[in-house]
Amino acid sequence: MAEKVRKSEEEWRKELSPRQYHILREKGTEPAFAGELNTNEKRGVYRCAACGEDLFSSDTKFDSGSGWPSFYLPISKENIVEKTDRSLFMTRTEVLCAKCGGHLGHVFDDGPDPTGLRYCVNSASLKFEETDKKKE
Ligand code: FE
């Protein structure tokens, strides 16, 4: 199991932008179509904006029309934690970074094949790194 990252809220507040802090640490949600990664179609890796853990690959990203970056599979199930979320009068499944506990978004069961899952993730929770095309 990967080593966990634990920091005080004060430390996170210093390291993250106000928007990232609100989403990752206070379980906020960015407005639909507002995040810069929603329409990103480049090939690469999406990492946790707080701790850098590998979370999603562009290979599993799809346009869900929801306004948030959407993936049908994480890079590894061990890198994320799924938790029942009963806020806002709904029962949803929250998705968190397993390494730092940062809030990423939610997972729904209306995604495409082959998993039928839709990991709906805030752009602010992610840091994208484009794959070096020369290596492919
Ligand atoms: Fe993290």
Short mmCIF file of all heavy atoms in Angstrom, two decimals, residues 37 40-47 58 127-136:
data_model
loop_
_atom_site.label_atom_id
_atom_site.label_comp_id
_atom_site.label_asym_id
_atom_site.label_seq_id
_atom_site.Cartn_x
_atom_site.Cartn_y
_atom_site.Cartn_z
N LEU A 37 -9.96 21.38 -17.65
CA LEU A 37 -9.65 20.05 -18.16
C LEU A 37 -10.85 19.31 -18.76
O LEU A 37 -10.71 18.24 -19.32
CB LEU A 37 -9.01 19.19 -17.06
CG LEU A 37 -7.64 19.70 -16.58
CD1 LEU A 37 -7.16 18.89 -15.38
CD2 LEU A 37 -6.61 19.62 -17.71
N ASN A 40 -10.18 18.97 -22.33
CA ASN A 40 -8.81 18.58 -22.68
C ASN A 40 -8.81 17.23 -23.40
O ASN A 40 -9.31 16.23 -22.88
CB ASN A 40 -7.98 18.49 -21.40
CG ASN A 40 -6.53 18.13 -21.68
OD1 ASN A 40 -5.96 18.56 -22.68
ND2 ASN A 40 -5.94 17.33 -20.80
N GLU A 41 -8.25 17.19 -24.61
CA GLU A 41 -8.22 15.92 -25.37
C GLU A 41 -6.81 15.42 -25.58
O GLU A 41 -6.57 14.48 -26.34
CB GLU A 41 -8.93 16.11 -26.71
CG GLU A 41 -10.44 16.27 -26.55
CD GLU A 41 -11.17 16.50 -27.86
OE1 GLU A 41 -10.51 16.57 -28.92
OE2 GLU A 41 -12.40 16.62 -27.82
N LYS A 42 -5.85 16.07 -24.91
CA LYS A 42 -4.46 15.63 -25.06
C LYS A 42 -4.24 14.30 -24.36
O LYS A 42 -4.97 13.95 -23.43
CB LYS A 42 -3.52 16.68 -24.47
CG LYS A 42 -3.50 17.96 -25.27
CD LYS A 42 -2.64 19.00 -24.61
CE LYS A 42 -2.67 20.29 -25.42
NZ LYS A 42 -2.41 21.46 -24.58
N ARG A 43 -3.20 13.59 -24.83
CA ARG A 43 -2.88 12.31 -24.22
C ARG A 43 -1.96 12.52 -23.03
O ARG A 43 -0.99 13.29 -23.12
CB ARG A 43 -2.19 11.39 -25.24
CG ARG A 43 -3.11 10.99 -26.38
CD ARG A 43 -2.57 9.77 -27.08
NE ARG A 43 -2.50 8.63 -26.16
CZ ARG A 43 -1.86 7.50 -26.45
NH1 ARG A 43 -1.22 7.37 -27.58
NH2 ARG A 43 -1.87 6.52 -25.58
N GLY A 44 -2.28 11.86 -21.93
CA GLY A 44 -1.42 12.00 -20.76
C GLY A 44 -2.05 11.46 -19.50
O GLY A 44 -3.04 10.72 -19.55
N VAL A 45 -1.46 11.87 -18.39
CA VAL A 45 -1.87 11.36 -17.08
C VAL A 45 -2.49 12.49 -16.26
O VAL A 45 -1.97 13.61 -16.24
CB VAL A 45 -0.65 10.79 -16.32
CG1 VAL A 45 -1.07 10.22 -14.97
CG2 VAL A 45 0.05 9.74 -17.15
N TYR A 46 -3.58 12.16 -15.58
CA TYR A 46 -4.22 13.09 -14.66
C TYR A 46 -3.84 12.67 -13.25
O TYR A 46 -4.14 11.57 -12.81
CB TYR A 46 -5.75 13.05 -14.84
CG TYR A 46 -6.20 13.58 -16.17
CD1 TYR A 46 -6.19 12.78 -17.31
CD2 TYR A 46 -6.63 14.90 -16.30
CE1 TYR A 46 -6.60 13.26 -18.55
CE2 TYR A 46 -7.05 15.40 -17.53
CZ TYR A 46 -7.04 14.57 -18.64
OH TYR A 46 -7.45 15.07 -19.87
N ARG A 47 -3.15 13.60 -12.57
CA ARG A 47 -2.70 13.30 -11.22
C ARG A 47 -3.46 14.13 -10.20
O ARG A 47 -4.06 15.15 -10.54
CB ARG A 47 -1.20 13.64 -11.10
CG ARG A 47 -0.33 12.80 -12.02
CD ARG A 47 1.10 12.77 -11.56
NE ARG A 47 1.84 11.77 -12.33
CZ ARG A 47 2.52 12.04 -13.44
NH1 ARG A 47 2.57 13.28 -13.89
NH2 ARG A 47 3.14 11.08 -14.09
N SER A 58 -5.70 9.55 -19.92
CA SER A 58 -6.51 10.10 -21.02
C SER A 58 -7.15 8.97 -21.83
O SER A 58 -8.16 9.18 -22.50
CB SER A 58 -5.64 10.96 -21.93
OG SER A 58 -4.57 10.19 -22.44
N LYS A 127 -4.24 17.48 -11.93
CA LYS A 127 -3.09 18.14 -12.54
C LYS A 127 -2.75 17.26 -13.74
O LYS A 127 -2.49 16.07 -13.59
CB LYS A 127 -1.94 18.10 -11.52
CG LYS A 127 -0.88 19.12 -11.70
CD LYS A 127 -0.03 19.28 -10.43
CE LYS A 127 0.49 17.99 -9.88
NZ LYS A 127 1.20 18.10 -8.61
N PHE A 128 -2.81 17.82 -14.92
CA PHE A 128 -2.60 17.03 -16.14
C PHE A 128 -1.15 17.12 -16.62
O PHE A 128 -0.57 18.19 -16.65
CB PHE A 128 -3.52 17.54 -17.25
CG PHE A 128 -3.33 16.82 -18.56
CD1 PHE A 128 -3.76 15.52 -18.72
CD2 PHE A 128 -2.68 17.45 -19.61
CE1 PHE A 128 -3.56 14.85 -19.93
CE2 PHE A 128 -2.49 16.79 -20.82
CZ PHE A 128 -2.94 15.49 -20.97
N GLU A 129 -0.62 15.97 -16.97
CA GLU A 129 0.71 15.97 -17.57
C GLU A 129 0.65 15.27 -18.91
O GLU A 129 0.29 14.09 -19.00
CB GLU A 129 1.73 15.27 -16.67
CG GLU A 129 3.15 15.52 -17.17
CD GLU A 129 4.20 14.77 -16.37
OE1 GLU A 129 4.11 14.79 -15.12
OE2 GLU A 129 5.07 14.14 -17.00
N GLU A 130 0.97 16.01 -19.96
CA GLU A 130 0.91 15.46 -21.31
C GLU A 130 2.00 14.41 -21.50
O GLU A 130 3.13 14.58 -21.05
CB GLU A 130 1.07 16.59 -22.34
CG GLU A 130 0.70 16.14 -23.73
CD GLU A 130 0.61 17.30 -24.73
OE1 GLU A 130 0.88 18.44 -24.35
OE2 GLU A 130 0.28 17.00 -25.87
N THR A 131 1.64 13.33 -22.17
CA THR A 131 2.61 12.27 -22.45
C THR A 131 3.59 12.76 -23.51
O THR A 131 3.20 13.40 -24.48
CB THR A 131 1.87 11.02 -23.00
OG1 THR A 131 0.83 10.70 -22.10
CG2 THR A 131 2.80 9.84 -23.14
N ASP A 132 4.83 12.46 -23.30
CA ASP A 132 5.86 12.84 -24.27
C ASP A 132 5.65 12.00 -25.53
O ASP A 132 5.84 10.79 -25.53
CB ASP A 132 7.24 12.57 -23.67
CG ASP A 132 8.36 13.03 -24.59
OD1 ASP A 132 8.06 13.49 -25.71
OD2 ASP A 132 9.51 12.95 -24.18
N LYS A 133 5.24 12.67 -26.61
CA LYS A 133 4.91 11.97 -27.85
C LYS A 133 6.11 11.22 -28.44
O LYS A 133 5.96 10.21 -29.10
CB LYS A 133 4.36 12.95 -28.87
CG LYS A 133 3.02 13.51 -28.46
CD LYS A 133 2.43 14.39 -29.55
CE LYS A 133 1.16 15.07 -29.09
NZ LYS A 133 1.45 16.32 -28.37
N LYS A 134 7.32 11.71 -28.17
CA LYS A 134 8.52 11.08 -28.73
C LYS A 134 8.73 9.67 -28.19
O LYS A 134 9.35 8.84 -28.83
CB LYS A 134 9.76 11.91 -28.43
CG LYS A 134 9.84 13.17 -29.25
CD LYS A 134 10.95 14.09 -28.72
CE LYS A 134 10.49 15.54 -28.74
NZ LYS A 134 11.15 16.32 -27.70
N LYS A 135 8.19 9.42 -27.00
CA LYS A 135 8.39 8.12 -26.39
C LYS A 135 7.42 7.06 -26.91
O LYS A 135 7.56 5.90 -26.62
CB LYS A 135 8.24 8.22 -24.86
CG LYS A 135 9.43 8.91 -24.20
CD LYS A 135 9.22 8.99 -22.70
CE LYS A 135 10.28 9.87 -22.05
NZ LYS A 135 9.89 10.32 -20.73
N GLU A 136 6.40 7.50 -27.66
CA GLU A 136 5.39 6.54 -28.10
C GLU A 136 5.80 5.81 -29.36
O GLU A 136 6.56 6.36 -30.15
CB GLU A 136 4.07 7.25 -28.31
CG GLU A 136 3.43 7.61 -27.01
CD GLU A 136 2.17 8.45 -27.19
OE1 GLU A 136 1.51 8.31 -28.23
OE2 GLU A 136 1.86 9.24 -26.32
#
